[in-house]
Amino acid sequence: MNELTMNLKTHSKIPLYEQIYNYIKSDIQNGKIAYGEKLPSTRALAKHLEISRSTVELAYEQLLSEGYIESEPYRGFFVAQIEELYHLQKGKITSAKIYKEKKKYKYDFTPNGVDLKSFPYNAWRKLSKDILMDDKTELFRAGDSQGEYGFRNAICNYLYQARGVNCTLDQIIIGAGSDYILMLLSTILGIHHRIAFEDPTYKQAYRMVRSLSYETAPVPMDKNGMKVSELEKSGADIAYVTPSHQYPTGVIMPLKRRLELLRWASQEEGRYIIEDDYDSEFRYKGKPIPALQGYDGEDKVIYLGTFSKSIAPAIRLSYMVLPKPLLEVYDQKSRFVNSTVSKVDQMIVQKFIEEGYYERHLNKTRALYKSRHDVLIEGLRPMMDICKISGEHAGVHLLLTFHNGMSEEELIQRAEAEDIRVYGLSDYCIQEKYEGNATILLGYANLSEEQIREAVQILNCCWKK
Amino acid sequence: MNELTMNLKTHSKIPLYEQIYNYIKSDIQNGKIAYGEKLPSTRALAKHLEISRSTVELAYEQLLSEGYIESEPYRGFFVAQIEELYHLQKGKITSAKIYKEKKKYKYDFTPNGVDLKSFPYNAWRKLSKDILMDDKTELFRAGDSQGEYGFRNAICNYLYQARGVNCTLDQIIIGAGSDYILMLLSTILGIHHRIAFEDPTYKQAYRMVRSLSYETAPVPMDKNGMKVSELEKSGADIAYVTPSHQYPTGVIMPLKRRLELLRWASQEEGRYIIEDDYDSEFRYKGKPIPALQGYDGEDKVIYLGTFSKSIAPAIRLSYMVLPKPLLEVYDQKSRFVNSTVSKVDQMIVQKFIEEGYYERHLNKTRALYKSRHDVLIEGLRPMMDICKISGEHAGVHLLLTFHNGMSEEELIQRAEAEDIRVYGLSDYCIQEKYEGNATILLGYANLSEEQIREAVQILNCCWKK
């Protein structure tokens, strides 16, 4: 019989039963109490330690449930074989490659910014807490591979009201981010396609499609978006477009061009349009144009949307709306792929939409970005003799096209010398050389109005020298 | 000037300022107060409603921040153009396809079960709450595409201590589930490979690999796992294996076979072994055998692990450990792919590991499964004249191979007639016809000890008729 003298701290934050549990566990792990040895009875140990018997019972129960001790009826508690048990020590930080730190700029006009100060943390925390209080086991069971029913329904309603997308919730598939959605889509489409991209384009999607082993074709743009005549010539059977706000040029595709695109798709079987509605949420002028998908009467449009831009980048939540023929293919070929989004996260965003937080958040960030947009336009006025603005009616960036003879590189370097980061259009071009006038992108989602005012004043000086 | 008479409920749960906000918002949305109209001053409205001025100010601020009204200095508040604003109504449930309900059985011996009653809900909720209280904006900013540094470090330590995996945290890549990890891996490896699978095998991975357009080759097993001589003949350059607990046969690959496999891989450049350590967490006899990866001196093993089995299926969290040459390919070709797991989820599981919850949870579920395992073995004793048990030393299922002349189909049907679901080995076979004796899988993770006792007694009767 083991005496088990231990030094219990009655004023500690750690409950007594847990101190006893820790003490005995570590003695078993260290071999101080060996396999097969009998522990004192709960009554004896309680007396010995001058504490209540139920406290000791609690400690023994914990040890029992984790397999450190075994109970033998009428005989008492014995130390178990613990070879198979996990015993994890606090780890050290293992060596890690040091990546070159990215240079930090005083002003960074990144076109991919999201203002996180306006994120409704309290609402998010509350929803998260409420959901974890609810029906427990169901929440951790494997979910619907397409995404949870209620969440798809909330998205379906949102898309109909806000974007004019016509679909049933069966057509919606949830996934952890837009890159993943493209991966999943490729298991549905198969890889033997040539996919046309607007040039310049959203490089992340272009790279993803390339890395999925697709052939691609860059198709030039005019002021209305992808040139359908060039698309026809490209030999592509799938067109990847961003009609609501072309990235990066900011072109909003007019209805006429949308209908031309749809006509192109309907002319041959197996042609599809991928409509990436990436940052359709922010518009500053005129009525919204419904999504291309809403005009599609022939099941030709695959619609992609995401919450990463409209809520927060770390929310890994995107979705696609499949046209019915592809939904059948999904059912046969890809439904077996498990969902990549946890049920908890799906339910948080579902409630976020249903309880009106999303609407408020969208209107709030839109108002915020609109103010920054207005301040930027105002600040750029003195520069209108050397450049012109375009793509300013939506999204969170605009473009400046220069006619003062400076090259894109020079413009970027002059800004950099003043600790300001700006972005050149040629980074977004697929074809090697960008032919037009030097064009700079300025994103304003990540800068305060004050910062925008300051930075634009400096740019005005350094670009006019 | 609008008079704005509204019926405020002082005893409502909804704060007064929110009632005012809701009232004015809906009047603007309905067009009752038109664009350009002036709102009463905060002082006038407060007086009119007999409430404090600060309450009205709060309501106006909210309307302002969401873009419903605009303030003009020295003139007051005016209704804004709201065409661009989001106005989402509560949606209805749209029609949804009715999928055929799966038949529910009284006893279901699924080999893929996870006991969710033992899930540490309180710990999980606490960690989740703590994390959402912490550094806010950082949590919602885009994260490391490989997975968060601290989380990878926690996994690295766990893998070293519990599985003998040798790696640095640079080699670990996090992803939302094992299906996704295979998708990502395919962007690294490219698709021009032939991948060998153990036959019978884990069909989910097999199907995933097929849908990624790979050629595959089934390779027969003997009692030590995949036959390396047959692997050699198959022409495959990648072998997908489950050495710690072959799924579904339960074979634990002995060291000798592991070394043969590694030798096969080292014989030709570009050969790799994918080690799926899927349910290595539960072993009931003898010391654990370290992962194959731990013996790999030539950077030939791609190690796959998951938390979906050891924590909960709805936790979409898996990872792979890349050998160094493939890590370089990842850096060049696939690092641009954004992470599929939210930072919050990564941090919850990181703390879950670091604060000892994972160790405790593993030991607890292991003890639980061990008891069920023991009860099942005990219950099966009277059946030992018609079948023999195999694959019982690890995982959460075992196999029964029959020599009473009954076919697999007959065994399943007789069980089904008694409302018991059992699983046939042939479902896991890649080659069309399974040649051996009828073999049944019995999983015990989802059944209580009582249920196991009852069901086995019934099976004993119906299989002996």
Side-chain angles (χ1 to χ4, degrees):
Chain A
M1 163 87 73
N2 205 300
E3 260 294 313
L4 288 182
T5 303
M6 49 190 98
N7 203 348
L8 298 180
K9 296 191 180 81
T10 36
H11 296 294
S12 159
K13 263 190 197 165
I14 302 166
L16 276 179
Y17 88 90
E18 211 173 311
Q19 294 184 43
I20 301 172
Y21 156 82
N22 283 329
Y23 186 92
I24 301 180
K25 183 170 99 172
S26 87
D27 269 10
I28 294 175
Q29 284 171 342
N30 300 335
K32 283 193 199 156
I33 325 181
Y35 165 56
E37 215 168 302
K38 190 171 185 241
L39 292 188
S41 71
T42 52
R43 185 204 301 260
L45 187 59
K47 206 176 153 200
H48 177 67
L49 297 173
E50 297 178 331
I51 56 173
S52 97
R53 192 171 161 190
S54 63
T55 304
V56 179
E57 279 169 355
L58 218 53
Y60 277 27
E61 229 161 72
Q62 187 70 35
L63 290 165
L64 204 57
S65 79
E66 291 179 28
Y68 288 100
I69 60 173
E70 284 163 345
S71 115
E72 289 185 24
Y74 311 111
R75 292 195 52 218
F77 295 96
F78 296 82
V79 174
Q81 191 106 44
I82 61 152
E83 269 181 342
E84 299 96 352
L85 293 192
Y86 285 91
H87 174 207
L88 302 177
Q89 271 148 342
K90 272 242 159 123
K92 283 164 289 187
I93 294 276
T94 57
S95 72
K97 220 187 283 179
I98 305 300
Y99 289 96
K100 225 172 82 186
E101 275 271 320
K102 273 193 201 153
K103 192 189 159 192
K104 287 246 163 129
Y105 291 80
K106 188 165 178 202
Y107 308 96
D108 186 346
F109 282 97
T110 171
N112 299 313
V114 173
D115 183 276
L116 283 174
K117 281 184 216 103
S118 61
F119 184 80
Y121 294 99
N122 290 332
W124 197 265
R125 202 181 306 125
K126 182 186 164 297
L127 291 174
S128 158
K129 201 180 130 208
D130 291 353
I131 283 159
L132 285 173
M133 293 300 282
D134 279 358
D135 52 347
K136 297 177 183 176
T137 53
E138 217 22 73
L139 216 51
F140 291 93
R141 219 174 279 288
D144 188 329
S145 56
Q146 239 186 299
E148 295 308 298
Y149 183 90
F151 183 40
R152 284 187 284 132
N153 192 58
I155 292 175
C156 191
N157 278 310
Y158 164 72
L159 286 179
Y160 178 71
Q161 294 184 46
R163 303 294 306 129
V165 169
N166 268 317
C167 67
T168 66
L169 54 81
D170 297 321
Q171 290 171 266
I172 298 175
I173 299 169
I174 311 292
S178 305
D179 298 337
Y180 168 74
I181 287 286
L182 286 176
M183 289 187 187
L184 184 63
L185 182 58
S186 84
T187 69
I188 300 167
L189 293 171
I191 54 171
H192 301 294
H193 296 280
R194 179 179 292 180
I195 304 187
F197 276 82
E198 298 155 336
D199 190 11
T201 193
Y202 177 49
K203 274 285 182 74
Q204 181 77 7
Y206 176 73
R207 261 187 289 178
M208 193 66 240
V209 162
R210 294 287 295 184
S211 91
L212 293 168
S213 306
Y214 284 102
E215 267 186 55
T216 53
V219 173
M221 307 248 305
D222 59 20
K223 67 181 197 327
N224 294 328
M226 185 183 266
K227 286 186 185 170
V228 176
S229 55
E230 298 284 332
L231 171 61
E232 190 76 59
K233 280 188 233 160
S234 72
D237 57 343
I238 296 176
Y240 191 106
V241 291
T242 49
S244 71
H245 181 234
Q246 206 274 335
Y247 195 84
T249 64
V251 166
I252 298 172
M253 191 184 285
L255 188 55
K256 185 160 172 283
R257 179 63 55 89
R258 292 177 191 227
L259 297 177
E260 277 171 42
L261 253 183
L262 286 171
R263 210 170 309 127
W264 166 85
S266 66
Q267 266 158 11
E268 265 185 45
E269 208 177 326
R271 280 186 179 171
Y272 285 103
I273 298 166
I274 299 175
E275 175 179 27
D276 185 347
D277 213 18
Y278 181 62
D279 72 351
S280 63
E281 287 83 4
F282 307 114
R283 299 172 308 273
Y284 309 112
K285 212 180 161 186
K287 280 198 190 171
I289 302 183
L292 184 55
Q293 199 271 4
Y295 298 103
D296 172 24
E298 304 191 43
D299 287 327
K300 287 297 188 182
V301 176
I302 301 158
Y303 178 92
L304 311 184
T306 182
F307 292 103
S308 303
K309 191 88 184 177
S310 59
I311 301 183
I315 307 297
R316 307 308 301 150
L317 251 174
S318 300
Y319 50 86
M320 62 179 157
V321 179
L322 286 179
K324 286 182 195 104
L326 290 181
L327 188 62
E328 277 169 38
V329 184
Y330 168 78
D331 278 338
Q332 286 160 31
K333 281 179 60 183
S334 309
R335 177 174 288 283
F336 78 94
V337 180
N338 287 307
S339 173
T340 43
V341 188
S342 77
K343 272 193 195 172
V344 175
D345 288 355
Q346 293 187 50
M347 283 185 70
I348 293 175
V349 181
Q350 178 186 336
K351 298 272 176 223
F352 193 73
I353 298 171
E354 286 176 352
E355 296 182 11
Y357 295 110
Y358 190 48
E359 177 191 305
R360 285 167 82 153
H361 176 64
L362 283 177
N363 287 331
K364 221 164 153 173
T365 42
R366 190 194 154 279
L368 199 74
Y369 294 153
K370 171 91 166 65
S371 304
R372 292 177 189 174
H373 163 273
D374 293 351
V375 167
L376 178 58
I377 300 262
E378 182 62 32
L380 288 171
R381 224 177 260 180
M383 252 189 260
M384 289 304 97
D385 53 340
I386 58 164
C387 63
K388 70 182 213 325
I389 297 172
S390 64
E392 76 276 27
H393 298 316
V396 292
H397 77 270
L398 51 74
L399 294 89
L400 297 180
T401 305
F402 286 81
H403 46 81
N404 62 346
M406 274 190 201
S407 70
E408 189 186 292
E409 216 184 320
E410 192 174 354
L411 291 160
I412 294 172
Q413 278 169 359
R414 285 185 177 218
E416 193 174 341
E418 304 287 344
D419 215 7
I420 301 175
R421 176 102 197 255
V422 300
Y423 296 77
L425 181 61
S426 50
D427 282 352
Y428 301 85
C429 295
I430 302 173
Q431 305 278 46
E432 274 151 52
K433 197 77 196 122
Y434 172 65
E435 298 287 332
N437 277 3
T439 302
I440 293 292
L441 274 74
L442 297 180
Y444 43 83
N446 259 358
L447 297 168
S448 70
E449 294 178 25
E450 197 45 44
Q451 285 176 308
I452 293 171
R453 264 186 219 102
E454 288 164 14
V456 170
Q457 214 156 29
I458 302 169
L459 287 176
N460 187 30
C461 292
C462 75
W463 284 342
K464 280 197 176 169
K465 271 194 286 217
Chain B
M1 163 85 77
N2 205 299
E3 259 293 314
L4 286 183
T5 302
M6 49 189 99
N7 201 349
L8 298 181
K9 297 191 180 81
T10 36
H11 297 294
S12 158
K13 264 190 194 163
I14 302 165
L16 276 179
Y17 88 89
E18 211 173 311
Q19 294 184 43
I20 300 171
Y21 156 81
N22 283 329
Y23 185 92
I24 301 179
K25 183 170 96 171
S26 86
D27 269 11
I28 295 175
Q29 284 171 343
N30 300 334
K32 282 192 198 157
I33 324 180
Y35 165 58
E37 217 169 299
K38 190 173 184 233
L39 290 188
S41 71
T42 52
R43 183 204 299 263
L45 187 57
K47 204 175 156 205
H48 177 67
L49 297 173
E50 297 178 330
I51 54 173
S52 95
R53 191 170 163 190
S54 62
T55 304
V56 179
E57 279 169 354
L58 218 53
Y60 277 26
E61 230 162 72
Q62 188 69 34
L63 290 164
L64 205 58
S65 78
E66 294 179 25
Y68 289 99
I69 62 174
E70 286 164 346
S71 113
E72 289 185 27
Y74 310 111
R75 291 197 50 221
F77 295 96
F78 296 83
V79 174
Q81 191 108 44
I82 61 152
E83 271 179 339
E84 299 96 353
L85 292 192
Y86 285 92
H87 174 207
L88 302 177
Q89 270 148 343
K90 272 239 157 129
K92 283 163 291 187
I93 295 277
T94 57
S95 73
K97 223 187 284 177
I98 305 299
Y99 288 97
K100 225 172 81 186
E101 276 270 318
K102 273 192 199 155
K103 192 189 159 193
K104 288 244 161 131
Y105 291 80
K106 187 165 178 201
Y107 308 98
D108 187 344
F109 281 97
T110 172
N112 299 314
V114 173
D115 183 275
L116 284 175
K117 282 183 214 104
S118 60
F119 184 81
Y121 294 99
N122 291 331
W124 197 265
R125 202 181 306 126
K126 182 186 165 295
L127 292 174
S128 158
K129 200 180 128 206
D130 290 354
I131 284 159
L132 286 173
M133 293 301 281
D134 279 0
D135 53 347
K136 295 178 186 179
T137 53
E138 215 25 71
L139 215 51
F140 291 92
R141 221 174 277 289
D144 187 329
S145 57
Q146 240 186 299
E148 295 309 297
Y149 183 90
F151 183 39
R152 284 187 284 131
N153 192 56
I155 292 175
C156 192
N157 279 310
Y158 164 72
L159 285 179
Y160 178 71
Q161 294 184 45
R163 304 294 307 129
V165 169
N166 269 317
C167 66
T168 66
L169 54 81
D170 296 321
Q171 290 171 266
I172 298 176
I173 299 169
I174 312 293
S178 306
D179 298 337
Y180 169 74
I181 287 286
L182 286 175
M183 289 185 186
L184 184 63
L185 182 58
S186 84
T187 68
I188 300 166
L189 293 170
I191 54 170
H192 300 295
H193 297 281
R194 180 180 291 181
I195 304 188
F197 275 82
E198 299 156 335
D199 190 12
T201 193
Y202 178 49
K203 274 284 182 73
Q204 182 77 9
Y206 176 73
R207 261 185 290 178
M208 193 67 240
V209 163
R210 294 286 295 183
S211 91
L212 292 169
S213 306
Y214 283 104
E215 266 187 58
T216 53
V219 173
M221 308 247 306
D222 61 19
K223 67 180 197 328
N224 294 329
M226 185 183 265
K227 286 185 185 171
V228 176
S229 55
E230 297 284 332
L231 170 61
E232 190 75 60
K233 279 188 235 160
S234 73
D237 57 344
I238 295 177
Y240 190 106
V241 291
T242 49
S244 71
H245 181 234
Q246 206 273 335
Y247 194 83
T249 65
V251 166
I252 298 172
M253 192 186 282
L255 189 56
K256 185 160 172 283
R257 180 63 55 90
R258 292 177 191 229
L259 297 177
E260 279 171 41
L261 254 183
L262 286 171
R263 209 170 312 126
W264 166 84
S266 66
Q267 266 158 11
E268 266 185 44
E269 207 176 328
R271 280 187 180 171
Y272 286 103
I273 298 167
I274 300 176
E275 175 180 27
D276 185 348
D277 213 18
Y278 179 60
D279 70 353
S280 64
E281 288 83 2
F282 307 114
R283 299 174 308 271
Y284 310 113
K285 215 182 156 182
K287 281 198 186 170
I289 302 182
L292 184 56
Q293 199 271 6
Y295 297 103
D296 173 24
E298 303 190 45
D299 286 328
K300 286 297 187 182
V301 175
I302 301 157
Y303 177 93
L304 311 185
T306 181
F307 292 102
S308 302
K309 190 88 182 177
S310 59
I311 301 183
I315 307 297
R316 308 308 301 152
L317 250 174
S318 300
Y319 50 87
M320 62 179 160
V321 180
L322 286 179
K324 288 185 193 100
L326 290 182
L327 188 63
E328 276 169 38
V329 184
Y330 167 78
D331 278 338
Q332 285 159 30
K333 280 179 61 183
S334 309
R335 179 174 287 282
F336 78 92
V337 180
N338 288 307
S339 173
T340 43
V341 188
S342 77
K343 271 192 195 172
V344 174
D345 289 354
Q346 293 187 50
M347 284 186 71
I348 293 176
V349 180
Q350 179 186 335
K351 298 271 175 222
F352 193 73
I353 298 172
E354 286 177 351
E355 296 182 11
Y357 295 109
Y358 190 47
E359 178 191 305
R360 286 166 81 151
H361 177 64
L362 283 178
N363 287 331
K364 220 164 154 172
T365 42
R366 190 193 153 279
L368 199 74
Y369 294 154
K370 171 90 165 65
S371 304
R372 291 176 190 175
H373 164 273
D374 292 350
V375 167
L376 179 58
I377 300 262
E378 182 61 32
L380 288 171
R381 223 177 259 180
M383 253 189 263
M384 289 303 96
D385 52 339
I386 57 164
C387 64
K388 67 183 215 325
I389 297 172
S390 65
E392 76 276 26
H393 298 315
V396 292
H397 77 271
L398 51 74
L399 293 89
L400 297 180
T401 306
F402 287 80
H403 46 80
N404 63 347
M406 275 190 203
S407 70
E408 189 186 291
E409 216 183 321
E410 193 176 353
L411 291 160
I412 294 172
Q413 278 170 359
R414 284 185 179 218
E416 194 175 338
E418 304 286 344
D419 216 7
I420 301 175
R421 176 105 196 252
V422 300
Y423 296 76
L425 181 61
S426 51
D427 283 353
Y428 301 85
C429 294
I430 302 174
Q431 304 279 44
E432 275 152 50
K433 196 75 197 122
Y434 173 64
E435 299 286 332
N437 277 2
T439 301
I440 294 292
L441 275 74
L442 297 181
Y444 43 84
N446 258 358
L447 297 168
S448 71
E449 295 178 24
E450 197 44 43
Q451 286 176 308
I452 293 172
R453 264 187 217 104
E454 289 164 12
V456 170
Q457 215 157 29
I458 302 169
L459 287 176
N460 187 30
C461 292
C462 75
W463 283 342
K464 281 199 174 166
K465 271 192 290 215

